[in-house]
Amino acid sequence: MICVTLSKPTHEALIHQHHQVADQGVELVELRVDLMQQDPDVFRLIKNRPTPVVITCRRKEDGGAYVGGESQRRNILLSAMEAGAEYVDVECDTASAIPPSGSTKRIVSYHNFQETPENLDQIHAQLRACDPDIVKLATLAKNPEDNIRMLELVRESPGSTTAFCMGSLGLVSRVLTGKYGAPWTYASASESEVVAPGQLSYETMIRRYRYHLIDRDTELYGVVGDPIEHSLSPHIHNAAFRQLEMNKVYLPFHVPARQWKEFILAAQWLELKGISVTIPHKQAAYQLAEVADETVQVTGACNTLVRNANHWEGYNTDGMAALESVGGASVTRNKTVLVLGAGGAAKAVGYALSQSGGRVIVTNRTHQRAEQLAAELGCDLVPWEKRISVQADMVVNCTSVGMYPHTEGSPFPTDAIKPGTIVFDTVYNPKWTRLLTEASERGCSVVAGREMFVLQAAGQFRIFTGQPAPLELMREVVDQVLDGQTAG
Ligand code: NAP
């Protein structure tokens, strides 16, 4: 179950929103009366309630907004019990002043907005000693392991416990706390009404993560990176799982470079079946993989990890996706291909295009990296300043120049490109970059990076599930999300 937190300033607005969310199917709401700008009249708030309620009047020191006296706050919570609220939320130190009474159940809660303390078990035991019906813990995640400690607490708890981490690193525990036995997780009524760090909206919980369908058997997948907030992968893979009715969920893991090892331990605890890997972890993923495909072995860049019989297998789906996007080996064979860039994308794309018979020439702003890549691929290179002198049949942008929001940029002066050249931009947001628009105006054939993006995700989906990906759906989702973001 999902408990939706409501935080409107007045009685009218709270009651109105309660009915609205109930109409959307919400089964439980938390009324945050501490966030009201009127003295709360709980009887009035819950008189004709459409769903069960949790009444919460959180003090400032616990992360709430209540600034009145403690006896007033106690009276509000006691009146909630008298009015027959299904739950009240109290802290350990106030639990004795609000003893069990009537049919109302008491949630005894602990909040920590600074960290996830080491002594979680001790804190949990203290909360349990307050005779709660439900224990709630919400703490700030500072590393991936904090989520695991929380989920372990939920799994091992003898009583009913809902526990999760806050903050961008804590998303996974918010989505998975129910899988490990929590009676509910919390969500906001909408994206703009988030009341705690990292809280997801009800719609995101239901539509993207299908929280209501997650159970013990749900298989877990994810994408790891830093930053990860705007990753498209959870949109694409979850949509595909939904369409094919697979009991799988795909989560974003915000993991800074220094926390890679902790992340892998967490991934193993969670029994993640497959991971998409993005910046800055592709090389660390290569080092982790005990078995790796040829592209990973040659380029040292791994964008897909799969857990198989207690070891990790590494794949790279970028190269094949790039080759498919331009039309396959029949298009690249014996053609001169100028690759702009020498980062992760350039490595995978350069390797795939040279394997398919293209005569690859690399160029990069930082020449030393171009030298390194040319040596790895066994191909030619030109200095960045001389890139326009290459008589190329195909120009491939593997730099980030032109990417949203810096869409005015272009890595190549198109007046130097002869009509008929194939110009492929791996940048996928926006779909039509300045490079592609100008090249098209000059009579070049243009290929947008968005198709490569969809195909690399489709390659991952095949590796994860052994089944072909729903390509049309994936294209639709990418267009919808990216064009929405750009418009926003
Ligand atoms: P990366 O490893 O960080 O490499 C970035 C590359 O861009 C480097 O070669 C860098 O040159 C170059 N660069 C950055 N700013 C530049 C500038 N102002 N002028 C000239 N060169 C500049 O990143 P990556 O993973 O390779 O990704 C690069 C691009 O590929 C991104 O736009 C990404 O969206 C795209 N990509 C697309 C797909 C897809 O499926 N369509 C997949 C992966 C990546 P220096 O070495 O000089 O810094």
Side-chain angles (χ1 to χ4, degrees):
M1 188 159 53
I2 299 174
C3 178
V4 172
T5 304
L6 305 186
S7 59
K8 292 290 184 193
T10 63
H11 294 88
E12 288 78 12
L14 257 185
I15 293 166
H16 179 69
Q17 193 178 33
H18 191 171
H19 283 271
Q20 267 183 335
V21 299
D23 289 345
Q24 288 163 23
V26 171
E27 296 168 282
L28 176 66
V29 302
E30 177 187 41
L31 301 179
R32 283 290 301 271
V33 298
D34 56 307
L35 298 169
M36 289 178 72
Q37 282 159 21
Q38 297 174 336
D39 284 341
D41 175 348
V42 180
F43 279 91
R44 183 174 163 202
L45 284 175
I46 69 174
K47 194 167 164 222
N48 294 315
R49 61 191 179 282
T51 72
V53 288
V54 177
I55 300 295
T56 300
C57 188
R58 186 108 41 244
R59 292 175 296 210
K60 255 206 154 131
E61 60 261 41
D62 297 309
Y66 193 73
V67 285
E70 196 49 19
S71 66
Q72 254 174 306
R73 192 173 80 97
R74 198 176 60 226
N75 287 341
I76 293 169
L77 292 167
L78 289 172
S79 72
M81 294 175 104
E82 208 183 310
E86 284 72 14
Y87 302 93
V88 290
D89 184 311
V90 298
E91 303 75 22
C92 210
D93 64 302
T94 40
S96 60
I98 300 160
S101 148
S103 59
T104 304
K105 293 188 167 145
R106 294 184 319 150
I107 301 164
V108 179
S109 66
Y110 169 82
H111 293 80
N112 187 327
F113 289 81
Q114 268 74 50
E115 58 169 355
T116 300
E118 285 306 314
N119 60 339
L120 274 184
D121 287 340
Q122 203 186 340
I123 294 167
H124 188 244
Q126 280 164 4
L127 297 170
R128 281 183 45 76
C130 298
D131 190 21
D133 294 290
I134 291 170
V135 169
K136 176 191 175 191
L137 288 99
T139 61
L140 185 76
K142 289 198 151 173
N143 63 57
E145 246 190 316
D146 288 343
N147 289 300
I148 302 309
R149 292 196 291 123
M150 275 302 205
L151 294 175
E152 203 160 25
L153 196 69
V154 175
R155 191 181 68 181
E156 304 304 325
S157 171
S160 193
T161 294
T162 183
F164 53 85
C165 287
M166 298 183 283
S168 67
L169 274 66
L171 183 145
V172 51
S173 60
R174 285 185 180 276
V175 179
L176 295 182
T177 188
K179 178 177 168 71
Y180 294 94
W184 63 71
T185 192
Y186 289 82
S188 65
S190 70
E191 301 289 346
S192 59
E193 292 170 287
V194 165
V195 296
Q199 194 176 50
L200 298 172
S201 71
Y202 177 74
E203 196 194 343
T204 301
M205 278 283 188
I206 295 285
R207 292 265 320 143
R208 193 175 311 158
Y209 299 114
R210 294 185 297 160
Y211 183 88
H212 53 300
L213 298 179
I214 295 176
D215 60 21
R216 274 164 203 266
D217 298 329
T218 304
E219 293 184 337
L220 306 182
Y221 296 81
V223 56
V224 57
D226 181 21
I228 206 67
E229 203 188 337
H230 296 294
S231 171
L232 288 172
S233 300
H235 296 268
I236 303 181
H237 287 281
N238 283 320
F241 291 157
R242 185 173 59 232
Q243 175 150 316
L244 298 179
E245 294 180 7
M246 293 173 158
N247 189 8
K248 300 176 192 294
V249 65
Y250 185 102
L251 299 158
F253 291 85
H254 177 199
V255 176
R258 65 180 187 286
Q259 292 175 346
W260 171 256
K261 284 200 176 126
E262 286 100 321
F263 164 70
I264 288 301
L265 290 176
Q268 286 169 194
W269 188 91
L270 289 166
E271 299 181 3
L272 283 198
K273 300 273 180 208
I275 308 172
S276 308
V277 183
T278 180
I279 293 171
H281 301 298
K282 286 186 181 177
Q283 206 181 344
Y286 155 69
Q287 281 158 357
L288 176 75
E290 284 176 44
V291 179
D293 73 13
E294 205 179 287
T295 310
V296 173
Q297 287 176 38
V298 174
T299 63
C302 171
N303 79 339
T304 313
L305 282 170
V306 177
R307 189 83 172 144
N308 208 344
N310 288 333
H311 67 263
W312 290 102
E313 292 179 0
Y315 299 87
N316 189 311
T317 62
D318 282 336
M320 191 49 71
L323 183 60
E324 280 180 41
S325 302
V326 297
S330 59
V331 175
T332 52
R333 193 169 301 120
N334 298 324
K335 296 288 180 353
T336 301
V337 179
L338 178 65
V339 171
L340 312 173
K347 280 183 181 184
V349 173
Y351 179 68
L353 299 186
S354 68
Q355 284 300 100
S356 67
R359 286 189 303 268
V360 170
I361 299 172
V362 297
T363 183
N364 190 49
R365 179 180 62 176
T366 308
H367 191 65
Q368 200 188 357
R369 290 184 80 191
E371 283 178 336
Q372 232 170 11
L373 178 58
E376 280 166 23
L377 300 181
C379 71
D380 289 332
L381 77 159
V382 290
W384 183 249
E385 299 69 33
K386 299 220 169 115
R387 64 195 184 285
I388 61 167
S389 65
V390 175
Q391 292 296 306
D393 303 301
M394 185 184 294
V395 175
V396 186
N397 177 34
C398 294
T399 75
S400 46
V401 180
M403 198 163 90
Y404 179 80
H406 304 293
T407 52
E408 71 292 346
S410 171
F412 204 84
T414 30
D415 48 12
I417 302 182
K418 61 177 190 300
T421 306
I422 298 170
V423 177
F424 172 28
D425 198 339
T426 67
V427 168
Y428 53 84
N429 190 19
K431 185 170 190 174
W432 300 112
T433 57
R434 180 173 164 201
L435 173 67
L436 292 182
T437 309
E438 290 181 357
S440 170
E441 283 162 11
R442 274 191 70 77
C444 300
S445 310
V446 292
V447 181
R450 210 167 274 190
E451 183 62 6
M452 172 180 162
F453 186 80
V454 169
L455 292 175
Q456 64 78 30
Q460 294 184 328
F461 188 89
R462 260 195 317 273
I463 293 169
F464 290 158
T465 66
Q467 293 193 36
L471 269 178
E472 261 325 299
L473 171 78
M474 287 183 158
R475 287 190 186 106
E476 263 171 46
V477 171
V478 172
D479 282 346
Q480 244 171 37
V481 178
L482 280 183
D483 296 339
Q485 271 175 13
T486 311

Coordinates of all heavy atoms in Angstrom, one line a residue, residues 319-382:
G319 N 28.1 0.0 -29.2 CA 28.7 -0.1 -30.5 C 27.7 -0.7 -31.5 O 27.5 -0.2 -32.6
M320 N 27.1 -1.8 -31.1 CA 26.2 -2.5 -32.0 C 25.0 -1.6 -32.4 O 24.5 -1.5 -33.5 CB 25.7 -3.8 -31.4 CG 24.9 -4.7 -32.2 SD 25.7 -5.0 -33.8 CE 27.1 -6.1 -33.2
A321 N 24.5 -0.8 -31.4 CA 23.4 0.1 -31.6 C 23.8 1.2 -32.6 O 23.0 1.6 -33.5 CB 23.0 0.7 -30.2
A322 N 25.0 1.7 -32.5 CA 25.5 2.7 -33.4 C 25.5 2.1 -34.9 O 25.1 2.8 -35.8 CB 26.9 3.2 -33.0
L323 N 26.1 0.9 -35.0 CA 26.2 0.3 -36.3 C 24.8 0.1 -36.9 O 24.6 0.4 -38.1 CB 26.9 -1.0 -36.2 CG 27.2 -1.7 -37.5 CD1 28.0 -0.9 -38.5 CD2 27.9 -3.1 -37.3
E324 N 23.9 -0.4 -36.1 CA 22.5 -0.6 -36.6 C 21.9 0.7 -37.0 O 21.1 0.8 -38.0 CB 21.6 -1.3 -35.5 CG 21.8 -2.8 -35.4 CD 21.0 -3.4 -34.3 OE1 19.8 -3.0 -34.2 OE2 21.5 -4.3 -33.6
S325 N 22.1 1.7 -36.2 CA 21.5 3.0 -36.5 C 21.9 3.6 -37.9 O 21.1 4.2 -38.6 CB 21.9 4.1 -35.5 OG 21.6 3.7 -34.2
V326 N 23.2 3.3 -38.3 CA 23.6 3.9 -39.6 C 23.3 2.9 -40.7 O 23.5 3.3 -41.9 CB 25.1 4.3 -39.6 CG1 25.4 5.4 -38.6 CG2 26.0 3.1 -39.4
G327 N 22.7 1.8 -40.4 CA 22.3 0.9 -41.5 C 23.1 -0.4 -41.7 O 23.0 -1.1 -42.6
G328 N 24.1 -0.6 -40.7 CA 24.8 -1.9 -40.7 C 26.1 -1.8 -41.5 O 26.4 -0.8 -42.1
A329 N 26.8 -3.0 -41.6 CA 28.1 -3.0 -42.2 C 28.1 -2.7 -43.7 O 29.1 -2.2 -44.2 CB 28.7 -4.4 -41.9
S330 N 27.0 -2.9 -44.3 CA 27.0 -2.7 -45.8 C 27.1 -1.2 -46.0 O 27.6 -0.8 -47.1 CB 25.7 -3.2 -46.4 OG 24.6 -2.5 -45.8
V331 N 26.8 -0.4 -45.1 CA 26.9 1.1 -45.2 C 28.3 1.6 -44.9 O 28.9 2.5 -45.5 CB 25.9 1.8 -44.3 CG1 26.1 3.3 -44.4 CG2 24.5 1.4 -44.7
T332 N 29.0 0.9 -43.9 CA 30.2 1.4 -43.4 C 31.5 0.8 -44.1 O 32.6 1.3 -44.1 CB 30.4 1.1 -41.9 OG1 30.1 -0.3 -41.7 CG2 29.4 1.9 -41.1
R333 N 31.3 -0.4 -44.7 CA 32.4 -1.1 -45.3 C 33.2 -0.3 -46.3 O 32.6 0.4 -47.2 CB 32.0 -2.4 -46.0 CG 33.1 -3.4 -46.3 CD 32.6 -4.8 -46.7 NE 31.8 -5.4 -45.6 CZ 30.6 -5.8 -45.8 NH1 30.0 -5.6 -46.9 NH2 29.9 -6.3 -44.8
N334 N 34.5 -0.2 -46.1 CA 35.4 0.5 -47.0 C 35.2 2.0 -47.0 O 35.6 2.7 -47.9 CB 35.4 0.0 -48.4 CG 35.9 -1.5 -48.4 OD1 36.8 -1.8 -47.6 ND2 35.3 -2.3 -49.2
K335 N 34.4 2.5 -46.0 CA 34.1 4.0 -46.0 C 35.1 4.7 -45.0 O 35.5 4.0 -44.0 CB 32.7 4.2 -45.6 CG 31.6 3.7 -46.5 CD 31.6 4.5 -47.8 CE 30.6 4.1 -48.9 NZ 29.9 2.9 -48.8
T336 N 35.4 5.9 -45.3 CA 36.2 6.7 -44.3 C 35.3 7.3 -43.3 O 34.4 8.1 -43.7 CB 37.0 7.8 -45.1 OG1 37.9 7.1 -46.0 CG2 37.9 8.6 -44.1
V337 N 35.5 6.9 -42.0 CA 34.6 7.4 -41.0 C 35.4 8.3 -40.0 O 36.3 7.8 -39.4 CB 34.0 6.2 -40.2 CG1 33.1 6.6 -39.1 CG2 33.3 5.2 -41.1
L338 N 35.0 9.5 -39.9 CA 35.7 10.4 -38.9 C 34.9 10.4 -37.6 O 33.7 10.8 -37.6 CB 35.7 11.8 -39.5 CG 36.4 12.9 -38.6 CD1 37.9 12.6 -38.4 CD2 36.2 14.3 -39.2
V339 N 35.5 10.0 -36.6 CA 34.9 9.9 -35.3 C 35.4 11.1 -34.4 O 36.6 11.2 -34.2 CB 35.2 8.6 -34.5 CG1 34.7 8.6 -33.1 CG2 34.6 7.4 -35.3
L340 N 34.4 12.0 -34.0 CA 34.8 13.1 -33.2 C 34.6 12.7 -31.7 O 33.5 12.3 -31.3 CB 33.8 14.3 -33.5 CG 33.6 14.7 -35.0 CD1 32.5 15.7 -35.1 CD2 34.9 15.2 -35.6
G341 N 35.7 12.8 -30.9 CA 35.6 12.5 -29.5 C 36.5 11.2 -29.2 O 36.8 10.5 -30.1
A342 N 36.8 11.1 -27.9 CA 37.6 9.9 -27.5 C 37.1 9.4 -26.1 O 37.9 8.8 -25.4 CB 39.1 10.3 -27.5
G343 N 35.9 9.7 -25.8 CA 35.4 9.2 -24.5 C 34.8 7.9 -24.7 O 35.0 7.1 -25.6
G344 N 33.9 7.5 -23.7 CA 33.3 6.2 -23.7 C 32.5 5.9 -25.0 O 32.6 4.8 -25.6
A345 N 31.7 6.8 -25.4 CA 30.9 6.6 -26.6 C 31.8 6.4 -27.9 O 31.6 5.5 -28.7 CB 29.9 7.8 -26.9
A346 N 32.8 7.3 -28.0 CA 33.7 7.2 -29.1 C 34.4 5.8 -29.2 O 34.6 5.2 -30.3 CB 34.8 8.3 -29.1
K347 N 34.8 5.3 -28.0 CA 35.5 4.0 -28.0 C 34.6 2.9 -28.6 O 35.0 2.1 -29.4 CB 35.8 3.6 -26.5 CG 37.0 4.3 -26.0 CD 37.3 3.8 -24.6 CE 38.5 4.5 -24.1 NZ 38.9 4.0 -22.8
A348 N 33.3 2.8 -28.0 CA 32.4 1.7 -28.4 C 32.0 1.9 -29.9 O 32.0 1.0 -30.7 CB 31.2 1.7 -27.5
V349 N 31.7 3.2 -30.3 CA 31.2 3.4 -31.7 C 32.4 3.2 -32.6 O 32.2 2.6 -33.7 CB 30.6 4.9 -31.8 CG1 30.3 5.2 -33.2 CG2 29.4 5.0 -30.9
G350 N 33.6 3.8 -32.3 CA 34.7 3.6 -33.2 C 35.1 2.1 -33.4 O 35.4 1.7 -34.5
Y351 N 35.0 1.4 -32.3 CA 35.3 -0.1 -32.4 C 34.3 -0.8 -33.3 O 34.7 -1.5 -34.2 CB 35.3 -0.7 -31.0 CG 35.6 -2.2 -31.1 CD1 36.9 -2.6 -31.4 CD2 34.7 -3.1 -30.8 CE1 37.2 -4.0 -31.5 CE2 34.9 -4.5 -30.8 CZ 36.2 -4.9 -31.2 OH 36.4 -6.3 -31.3
A352 N 33.0 -0.5 -33.1 CA 32.0 -1.2 -33.9 C 32.1 -0.8 -35.4 O 32.0 -1.7 -36.3 CB 30.6 -0.8 -33.4
L353 N 32.4 0.5 -35.7 CA 32.5 0.9 -37.1 C 33.7 0.4 -37.7 O 33.7 0.0 -38.9 CB 32.4 2.4 -37.2 CG 31.0 3.0 -36.6 CD1 30.9 4.5 -36.9 CD2 29.8 2.3 -37.2
S354 N 34.8 0.3 -37.0 CA 36.0 -0.3 -37.6 C 35.9 -1.8 -37.8 O 36.3 -2.3 -38.8 CB 37.3 0.1 -36.9 OG 37.3 -0.6 -35.6
Q355 N 35.2 -2.5 -36.9 CA 35.0 -3.9 -37.0 C 34.1 -4.2 -38.2 O 34.2 -5.3 -38.8 CB 34.3 -4.5 -35.7 CG 35.2 -4.6 -34.6 CD 36.4 -5.6 -34.8 OE1 37.5 -5.1 -35.1 NE2 36.1 -6.9 -34.8
S356 N 33.3 -3.2 -38.5 CA 32.3 -3.5 -39.7 C 33.0 -3.0 -41.0 O 32.2 -2.9 -42.0 CB 31.0 -2.7 -39.4 OG 31.3 -1.3 -39.5
G357 N 34.3 -2.8 -41.0 CA 35.0 -2.6 -42.3 C 35.2 -1.1 -42.6 O 35.7 -0.7 -43.6
G358 N 34.8 -0.2 -41.6 CA 35.0 1.2 -41.9 C 36.5 1.6 -41.6 O 37.1 1.0 -40.8
R359 N 37.0 2.6 -42.4 CA 38.4 3.1 -42.1 C 38.2 4.3 -41.2 O 37.9 5.4 -41.6 CB 39.0 3.6 -43.4 CG 39.5 2.4 -44.3 CD 40.3 3.0 -45.5 NE 39.6 4.0 -46.2 CZ 38.9 3.8 -47.3 NH1 38.8 2.5 -47.8 NH2 38.2 4.8 -48.0
V360 N 38.4 4.0 -39.9 CA 38.1 5.0 -38.8 C 39.3 5.9 -38.6 O 40.4 5.4 -38.6 CB 37.7 4.3 -37.5 CG1 37.6 5.3 -36.4 CG2 36.3 3.5 -37.7
I361 N 39.0 7.2 -38.5 CA 40.0 8.2 -38.1 C 39.4 8.9 -36.9 O 38.3 9.4 -37.0 CB 40.2 9.2 -39.3 CG1 40.7 8.5 -40.5 CG2 41.2 10.3 -38.9 CD1 40.7 9.4 -41.8
V362 N 40.2 9.0 -35.9 CA 39.7 9.7 -34.7 C 40.3 11.0 -34.5 O 41.4 11.3 -34.9 CB 39.9 8.8 -33.4 CG1 39.1 7.5 -33.4 CG2 41.3 8.6 -33.1
T363 N 39.5 11.9 -33.9 CA 40.0 13.2 -33.5 C 39.3 13.7 -32.2 O 38.2 13.3 -32.0 CB 39.7 14.3 -34.7 OG1 40.3 15.5 -34.3 CG2 38.2 14.4 -34.9
N364 N 40.1 14.4 -31.4 CA 39.5 14.8 -30.1 C 40.2 16.1 -29.6 O 41.3 16.4 -29.9 CB 39.8 13.7 -29.1 CG 39.1 13.9 -27.8 OD1 37.9 14.1 -27.8 ND2 39.8 13.9 -26.7
R365 N 39.4 16.9 -28.9 CA 39.9 18.1 -28.4 C 41.2 17.9 -27.6 O 42.1 18.6 -27.8 CB 38.8 18.8 -27.5 CG 39.1 20.1 -26.9 CD 38.0 20.6 -26.0 NE 37.7 19.7 -24.9 CZ 36.8 19.9 -24.0 NH1 36.2 21.0 -24.0 NH2 36.6 19.1 -23.0
T366 N 41.2 16.9 -26.8 CA 42.4 16.6 -26.0 C 43.2 15.6 -26.8 O 42.7 14.4 -26.9 CB 42.1 16.1 -24.6 OG1 41.2 17.0 -24.0 CG2 43.3 15.9 -23.8
H367 N 44.2 16.0 -27.5 CA 44.9 15.1 -28.5 C 45.4 13.8 -27.9 O 45.3 12.8 -28.5 CB 46.0 15.9 -29.1 CG 46.6 15.2 -30.3 ND1 45.8 15.0 -31.5 CD2 47.8 14.6 -30.6 CE1 46.5 14.3 -32.4 NE2 47.7 14.1 -31.8
Q368 N 45.9 13.9 -26.6 CA 46.5 12.7 -26.0 C 45.4 11.6 -25.9 O 45.8 10.4 -26.1 CB 46.9 13.1 -24.6 CG 47.9 12.2 -24.0 CD 48.1 12.6 -22.5 OE1 47.6 13.5 -22.0 NE2 49.0 11.8 -21.9
R369 N 44.2 12.0 -25.7 CA 43.1 10.9 -25.6 C 42.8 10.3 -27.0 O 42.5 9.2 -27.1 CB 41.8 11.5 -25.0 CG 42.0 11.8 -23.5 CD 40.6 12.3 -22.9 NE 39.7 11.2 -22.6 CZ 38.5 11.4 -22.3 NH1 37.9 12.6 -22.3 NH2 37.7 10.3 -22.1
A370 N 43.0 11.2 -28.0 CA 42.8 10.7 -29.4 C 43.9 9.7 -29.7 O 43.7 8.6 -30.3 CB 42.8 11.8 -30.4
E371 N 45.1 10.0 -29.2 CA 46.3 9.1 -29.5 C 46.0 7.7 -28.8 O 46.3 6.7 -29.4 CB 47.5 9.7 -28.9 CG 48.1 10.8 -29.8 CD 49.3 11.5 -29.2 OE1 49.5 11.4 -27.9 OE2 50.1 12.0 -29.9
Q372 N 45.5 7.8 -27.6 CA 45.3 6.6 -26.8 C 44.2 5.7 -27.6 O 44.4 4.5 -27.7 CB 44.7 7.0 -25.5 CG 45.4 6.4 -24.3 CD 44.9 7.0 -23.0 OE1 43.9 7.8 -23.0 NE2 45.5 6.8 -22.0
L373 N 43.1 6.4 -28.0 CA 42.1 5.7 -28.6 C 42.5 5.1 -30.0 O 42.2 3.9 -30.3 CB 40.8 6.6 -28.8 CG 39.6 5.9 -29.5 CD1 39.2 4.7 -28.8 CD2 38.5 6.9 -29.6
A374 N 43.3 5.9 -30.7 CA 43.7 5.4 -32.0 C 44.6 4.2 -31.8 O 44.5 3.2 -32.6 CB 44.5 6.5 -32.7
A375 N 45.4 4.2 -30.8 CA 46.3 3.0 -30.5 C 45.4 1.8 -30.1 O 45.7 0.7 -30.6 CB 47.3 3.4 -29.4
E376 N 44.4 2.0 -29.3 CA 43.5 0.9 -28.9 C 42.8 0.3 -30.1 O 42.6 -0.9 -30.2 CB 42.5 1.4 -27.9 CG 43.1 1.5 -26.5 CD 42.1 2.3 -25.5 OE1 40.9 2.4 -25.8 OE2 42.6 2.8 -24.5
L377 N 42.3 1.2 -31.0 CA 41.6 0.7 -32.1 C 42.4 0.3 -33.3 O 42.0 -0.3 -34.3 CB 40.5 1.8 -32.6 CG 39.5 2.2 -31.6 CD1 38.6 3.3 -32.2 CD2 38.7 1.1 -31.1
G378 N 43.7 0.7 -33.3 CA 44.6 0.4 -34.4 C 44.2 1.2 -35.6 O 44.2 0.7 -36.7
C379 N 43.8 2.5 -35.4 CA 43.4 3.3 -36.5 C 44.1 4.7 -36.6 O 45.0 4.9 -35.8 CB 41.9 3.6 -36.4 SG 41.4 4.7 -35.0
D380 N 43.8 5.5 -37.6 CA 44.5 6.8 -37.8 C 43.9 7.8 -36.9 O 42.8 7.6 -36.4 CB 44.4 7.2 -39.2 CG 45.3 6.3 -40.1 OD1 46.3 5.8 -39.6 OD2 44.9 6.2 -41.3
L381 N 44.6 9.0 -36.8 CA 44.0 10.1 -36.1 C 44.5 11.4 -36.7 O 45.4 11.4 -37.5 CB 44.5 10.1 -34.6 CG 45.9 10.5 -34.3 CD1 46.0 10.9 -32.8 CD2 46.9 9.4 -34.5
V382 N 43.7 12.4 -36.5 CA 44.1 13.8 -36.9 C 43.9 14.7 -35.7 O 43.1 14.5 -34.9 CB 43.2 14.3 -38.1 CG1 43.5 13.6 -39.4 CG2 41.8 14.4 -37.8

